[in-house]
Amino acid sequence: MSYQNLTVIFAVVFLYSVTSRRVEQTPVNGALLFCIIGFLLGNDGLQWFQVRLSNETIKTLAELALAIVLFTDAAKANLKVLSSNIDLPRRLLLLGLPLTIILGILAGMALLPGLPVIEVAILAALLAPTDAALGKAVVTDPAVPAKIRGTLNAESGLNDGICVPIVFSLLPIAADPTLATEINRMAAQLLAEQIGLGVLVGIGIAILAGQIIDYSFETKEQSKTWEQVTVVALAICCFSVAQLAGGSGFIAAFVGGIVFGWLEKPYKEQLLDSAEGIGDTLSLVTWLIFGAAIIGAVMHMFTWEILAYSVLSLTVVRILPVYLVLHGEPLNLREKLFIGWFGPRGLASIVFAIVVLDANLPGSSVIASTAVTTIGLSVILHGITAHSFIRALKKK
């Protein structure tokens, strides 16, 4: 069975690789295509791709994929444009993100009354981060104004790291309500550790690696064939060292990518191109597994209340806070709505949902089912609207 699964994975990856340019020009993005294929061939379909992986295995694969994507996207960011428009991502992260979680809690209390409020808060927090990988068509398309691309990229790179301490502070309280009085101290401590250590690790490793790469290129000690793994190894080092230190690996990967992109200008594109392909491949394999093993497993939990919450999470819960916090910014209505709509949910939410499942809370299955429904809808809706919404944005 393992050889059969390997055959399916790499046959699908191969076929996608040789048709990728044509597929990318259609409304069906890679994530949606791999989810559909995974579901059709997977455990609840033809059973050609039968996934019996542990939650930890899926979580690790999603984490590594997200770390590489965050690093490469950050390294390719235009820092001049980002610095001149820094107020936009700052507003989205410091004001928009908390408002999104609050609205998510209110929606959950109304639609999922059987779920304890603390678990509703966990659901709202794990669905708040946006996904850089799933929004790739938007943040890399030159037809989208640079300030909007930079804003969405920076937001998706940092909001999952900010949500980590929120989710991990709420989990022990959901398991033991007597800890509720400690929530402020726990959240503040975790937030400081996650962000502070993540930033420090990302900066430190990127600077050290930059010096080593400079020496390697000057002395021509690196062979051409190994250039493709340099950035991948660096991104995973940033992620894993920060996790070991108690910080956010996602923030470390994003910050490390920004610093790397700034330091390694002469060699940046040369080193990033192949690394970007590896990150995209891991992401798509994650979506293949998601379609094969996870979607079908929670379909029996599906209810209209869960669907309603998922739709609200992708629309009102996301768009309203974005519109409110961007008030007064030099953006027209179409641009504000564009930023609000393109907050896709993906790899980060998958990681958080698996963590919640492992916690065995009373409502873990409802939380997981709602998260999977929201992520699935996001893959479909954001995938099929990306190109048409980009064209609409360009119209005067």
Side-chain angles (χ1 to χ4, degrees):
M1 183 57 65
S2 61
Y3 291 121
Q4 183 172 316
N5 285 345
L6 285 175
T7 301
V8 170
I9 289 173
F10 289 101
V12 172
V13 169
F14 169 76
L15 291 174
Y16 180 81
S17 71
V18 297
T19 58
S20 56
R21 178 173 293 179
R22 175 170 294 185
V23 173
E24 288 169 358
Q25 294 172 347
T26 71
V28 180
N29 65 5
L32 174 56
L33 182 62
F34 273 63
C35 272
I36 293 172
I37 293 173
F39 181 74
L40 293 176
L41 301 182
N43 299 349
D44 296 278
L46 296 175
Q47 297 186 359
W48 294 355
F49 181 51
Q50 297 185 40
V51 184
R52 296 290 183 266
L53 297 175
S54 66
N55 287 350
E56 187 64 29
T57 302
I58 300 174
K59 180 168 82 74
T60 300
L61 179 62
E63 285 178 336
L64 294 181
L66 183 57
I68 297 170
V69 170
L70 287 173
F71 189 98
T72 54
D73 285 353
K76 288 192 169 186
N78 189 322
L79 296 184
K80 290 183 179 179
V81 173
L82 181 59
S83 61
S84 63
N85 296 281
I86 193 65
D87 192 48
L88 297 180
R90 184 169 58 208
R91 287 191 180 203
L92 292 176
L93 291 167
L94 299 183
L95 298 175
L97 184 62
L99 279 176
T100 296
I101 294 174
I102 291 171
L103 276 183
I105 294 172
L106 294 176
M109 291 172 64
L111 292 170
L112 305 170
L115 206 61
V117 175
I118 189 69
E119 295 186 22
V120 171
I122 291 172
L123 174 63
L126 73 85
L127 285 176
T130 54
D131 184 357
L134 198 55
K136 199 171 188 65
V138 172
V139 299
T140 59
D141 193 323
V144 179
K147 63 180 179 181
I148 294 180
R149 283 186 280 125
T151 295
L152 291 173
N153 195 33
E155 181 198 17
S156 64
L158 293 172
N159 57 13
D160 39 27
I162 294 174
C163 287
V164 166
I166 299 174
V167 172
F168 280 83
S169 296
L170 294 174
L171 278 174
I173 296 170
D176 183 3
T178 61
L179 295 175
T181 56
E182 299 291 314
I183 187 170
N184 290 334
R185 181 187 62 80
M186 291 166 58
Q189 181 178 346
L190 277 171
L191 187 64
E193 291 176 354
Q194 292 287 313
I195 295 178
L197 289 173
V199 169
L200 289 175
V201 169
I203 292 174
I205 290 181
I207 290 176
L208 176 61
Q211 297 297 317
I212 295 172
I213 293 172
D214 282 340
Y215 176 80
S216 175
F217 271 85
E218 289 170 3
T219 58
K220 298 181 179 179
E221 292 195 6
Q222 184 178 37
S223 66
K224 191 74 176 176
T225 55
W226 280 93
E227 287 181 2
Q228 60 187 335
V229 299
T230 301
V231 168
V232 172
L234 180 54
I236 295 175
C237 277
C238 287
F239 172 81
S240 57
V241 171
Q243 293 289 111
L244 280 172
S248 169
F250 300 129
I251 286 182
F254 184 78
V255 172
I258 289 177
V259 175
F260 177 82
W262 175 63
L263 292 176
E264 297 303 319
K265 291 178 183 178
Y267 323 116
K268 186 168 74 171
E269 297 301 325
Q270 182 177 345
L271 292 173
L272 284 174
D273 285 343
S274 295
E276 189 173 15
I278 294 173
D280 289 345
T281 302
L282 281 178
S283 296
L284 292 178
V285 171
T286 303
W287 289 116
L288 187 71
I289 294 171
F290 181 79
I294 300 178
I295 292 179
V298 301
M299 283 183 66
H300 67 283
M301 292 289 301
F302 178 83
T303 64
W304 290 110
E305 291 81 4
I306 286 177
L307 177 61
Y309 183 91
S310 299
V311 171
L312 282 177
S313 178
L314 297 174
T315 54
V316 177
V317 170
R318 160 71 183 180
I319 296 174
L320 182 58
V322 169
Y323 180 79
L324 291 175
V325 302
L326 294 182
H327 177 72
E329 290 292 331
L331 298 168
N332 59 41
L333 177 61
R334 188 176 294 162
E335 290 173 326
K336 291 177 182 177
L337 292 178
F338 185 89
I339 294 173
W341 172 243
F342 282 104
R345 307 327 196 283
L347 296 178
S349 294
I350 290 175
V351 172
F352 287 145
I354 291 172
V355 170
V356 172
L357 273 175
D358 287 341
N360 292 318
L361 301 176
S364 284
S365 57
V366 175
I367 294 173
S369 181
T370 308
V372 168
T373 303
T374 306
I375 295 166
L377 280 177
S378 180
V379 170
I380 296 170
L381 297 176
H382 290 107
I384 64 177
T385 59
H387 294 292
S388 59
F389 278 34
I390 290 171
R391 289 194 297 270
L393 184 66
K394 292 193 294 182
K395 294 180 181 178
K396 300 298 183 183

